[in-house]
Amino acid sequence: MTNIASSAKIDSRAIVEDGAVIGEHAEIGAFCYVGANAVLGDNVKLLHHAVVEGATRLGDDCQVFPMAVIGGAPQSIRHDGSQTRLEVGRNCVFREGVTINTGSSHGGGETVVGHDNLFLANSHVGHDCRIGNNVILSNNVMVGGHATVHDRVILSGGAAIHQFVQIGRQAFIGGLAGVVNDVIPYAMVVDNPAFMGGLNVVGMQRAGMSKGEIHAVRRAYQAIFAAGTVIGNARALLESGDEAEGAAREIIDFVLDRDSERALTTPGSRRRGSKA
């Protein structure tokens, strides 16, 4: 049975399937479609021609712009057709033509998007992805299935993230970059195939990190990607106790603790990924 809050506003030309849940003060514009298993939180706004389908939950204050399809079935030939989910946090904006798929039967069955994210026109998030908080996907960004994008990451226009890749917190991915390997926190990644062009210093400054913290991150970065193996260098840095706290420790932990099939994206002189 459909559960529509009395304060919700639904255009007469919209389709809301029986079973959908619509929160207080939600607005659904002309020619929108809301599927039977969709749950829209309070103050959610769907502009005309927006689609929310599948077993999808949108948190409070989300906005979905025209021609976006949120909760479409996974684009995977291995998916068995069973019902899977998409969970979206509060205050996310999905601009025109954005597509976010539900999880797949072979990948955990759930795609998860955090809070306060901005998805610009025609960006795509594939099945079983994990998107953190305060993330920006610029126009035409493509995130392949099973990828993880941590908090405060910026993905510039046309960037392509390979399936299963992990992007560390507050990394910056340049426009048209083709990212096939994991990216450490605070990195700045460019080109196709992608390599690290340094650190996201501007992002760190905007986040309020002190000069001392930024310099510590730089020293850790230089030590980890010095001669030798990345994992060996990170382990030696941890054991030495140098730079093994705060943001620098976050990079060390990312290198040593990640459970990933991908190599690491490395600086420009070592574009093809690290050796374990």
Side-chain angles (χ1 to χ4, degrees):
M1 180 178 179
T2 302
N3 184 354
I4 301 176
S6 59
S7 59
K9 297 179 180 179
I10 302 176
D11 191 282
S12 61
R13 294 164 291 181
I15 296 175
V16 178
E17 296 283 2
D18 188 34
V21 177
I22 312 297
E24 296 288 349
H25 304 290
E27 298 181 21
I28 300 175
F31 307 110
C32 289
Y33 174 82
V34 180
N37 297 306
V39 177
L40 308 186
D42 297 343
N43 304 305
V44 168
K45 185 174 183 179
L46 273 54
L47 281 70
H48 61 89
H49 294 90
V51 173
V52 180
E53 60 184 1
T56 295
R57 181 184 297 270
L58 290 186
D60 296 347
D61 302 301
C62 287
Q63 297 182 60
V64 184
F65 279 69
M67 306 303 173
V69 180
I70 310 303
Q75 299 179 79
S76 170
I77 59 174
R78 295 173 58 195
H79 180 58
D80 63 11
S82 59
Q83 185 180 89
T84 54
R85 301 188 56 78
L86 167 62
E87 291 283 339
V88 177
R90 62 180 180 276
N91 196 38
C92 292
V93 176
F94 304 94
R95 292 302 302 260
E96 296 82 355
V98 168
T99 52
I100 313 283
N101 294 159
T102 60
S104 70
S105 57
H106 57 86
E110 186 176 55
T111 301
V112 178
V113 174
H115 310 299
D116 303 304
N117 297 311
L118 175 59
F119 300 81
L120 296 184
N122 300 307
S123 55
H124 169 75
V125 175
H127 54 85
D128 306 297
C129 285
R130 298 291 187 270
I131 308 295
N133 305 318
N134 300 107
V135 173
I136 298 175
L137 276 69
S138 299
N139 292 10
N140 302 302
V141 164
M142 299 171 288
V143 180
H146 315 279
T148 299
V149 180
H150 288 278
D151 296 350
R152 301 185 65 85
V153 168
I154 296 177
L155 304 176
S156 300
I161 311 302
H162 195 282
Q163 61 181 353
F164 294 101
V165 159
Q166 300 179 31
I167 308 293
R169 189 165 76 92
Q170 209 164 305
F172 180 91
I173 310 300
L176 302 178
V179 182
V180 298
N181 292 316
D182 292 350
V183 176
I184 64 169
Y186 308 105
M188 182 173 64
V189 170
V190 295
D191 214 342
N192 186 2
F195 64 95
M196 274 195 294
L199 293 168
N200 183 17
V201 175
V202 172
M204 288 188 278
Q205 291 171 337
R206 289 176 176 172
M209 292 174 62
S210 68
K211 288 184 179 180
E213 289 176 302
I214 294 172
H215 288 318
V217 169
R218 183 178 284 115
R219 289 191 294 270
Y221 167 80
Q222 292 170 343
I224 289 171
F225 293 103
T229 67
V230 171
I231 291 177
N233 291 341
R235 187 174 291 117
L237 189 60
L238 178 63
E239 292 172 353
S240 72
D242 297 335
E243 318 299 352
E245 59 183 34
R249 176 61 181 267
E250 187 178 348
I251 296 175
I252 296 170
D253 289 344
F254 183 92
V255 172
L256 296 179
D257 296 342
R258 67 196 178 94
D259 181 13
S260 177
E261 301 176 1
R262 313 303 300 177
L264 279 170
T265 301
T266 50
S269 61
R270 301 172 67 187
R271 293 189 182 191
R272 296 190 179 277
S274 67
K275 296 180 180 179

